[in-house]
Amino acid sequence: MSTTPPVLAAELALAWADIQRHHPELPDLAAPESLIGESSSACGAELSFERLLHEAVHGIAAARGVRDTSRAGRYHNRRFLAIAEELGLDHADEPHPSSGFSLVTLNPEARRRYRPTIERLARALRAHSAATATDTARSFRGPAARHGSSGGGVRVKAVCDCGRNVRVVPSVLAQAPIVCGGCGKPFRIPEVAAVG
């Protein structure tokens, strides 16, 4: 199996088409490659079928004219959650304070329905990751671009030791340090304490 981005984009398009078979109002995926390589966003930490289904929720919301997010696409509201449930995604009872209901998971029925597609996409993603693990020159614009973000991803707060902070796309910060003009030290994304 080839591991070039066009092949992965084709696998993403096939998975999207499978979702469309079950939800015909879902618009076509204009640029599957825009999902490749996005390391972080309000929609999830990594690309997977679950993440693709999450993006399909946004597609259906757009087709219906439903405003499913606020705060530049970071906060996923109860309208997002209602559509997510239609597509086979579950969420904890309470929303996350900053991202709302963005952290959705496949329910058992959806996992059964899409099992072949999930497995095929997972194989393609593993192959792509292995092939591009050392390829840092290639980069793809992520799904947060639909929110008008010029950086191609959702920005998070990065801090330096002197207390200053900036909003930055994590994949941009991972490319090279961003140095504080006040103290000369690099900005970093603070560790998030696990909620348990």
Side-chain angles (χ1 to χ4, degrees):
M1 167 189 283
S2 173
T3 57
T4 60
V7 171
L8 180 54
E11 292 293 342
L12 287 165
L14 288 171
W16 191 264
D18 191 23
I19 298 168
Q20 284 180 310
R21 278 191 286 280
H22 297 281
H23 303 280
E25 70 183 304
L26 177 62
D28 290 338
L29 183 59
E33 64 277 1
S34 69
L35 297 169
I36 302 169
E38 180 65 19
S39 63
S40 178
S41 81
C43 302
E46 65 183 33
L47 186 56
S48 65
F49 182 78
E50 198 166 72
R51 170 77 180 277
L52 194 63
L53 202 56
H54 174 123
E55 293 299 323
V57 173
H58 291 303
I60 289 176
R64 293 179 182 174
V66 171
R67 185 171 178 194
D68 63 340
T69 63
S70 59
R71 301 180 196 164
R74 288 185 302 274
Y75 191 87
H76 294 60
N77 59 37
R78 290 193 184 277
R79 291 180 293 268
F80 170 87
L81 182 58
I83 298 169
E85 289 171 348
E86 290 177 37
L87 271 67
L89 294 167
D90 289 334
H91 188 281
D93 291 337
E94 295 300 317
H96 184 275
S98 62
S99 62
F101 294 102
S102 69
L103 301 176
V104 289
T105 57
L106 278 168
N107 69 30
E109 181 184 334
R111 193 171 299 282
R112 280 189 301 276
R113 175 186 313 135
Y114 293 113
R115 183 176 178 189
T117 302
I118 292 167
E119 290 172 355
R120 184 175 170 155
L121 182 58
R123 281 192 304 273
L125 287 165
R126 282 192 304 271
H128 176 75
S129 293
T132 59
T134 58
D135 184 6
T136 57
R138 300 174 77 133
S139 150
F140 294 89
R141 193 166 165 80
R146 73 173 171 273
H147 301 300
S149 167
S150 62
V154 174
R155 289 167 173 75
V156 297
K157 183 164 69 170
V159 298
C160 74
D161 291 340
C162 72
R164 297 179 72 210
N165 65 71
V166 295
R167 305 284 299 170
V168 62
V169 177
S171 60
V172 170
L173 191 59
Q175 292 171 9
I178 297 174
V179 180
C180 175
C183 71
K185 294 186 179 177
F187 285 93
R188 60 183 167 67
I189 299 172
E191 294 287 325
V192 178
V195 178

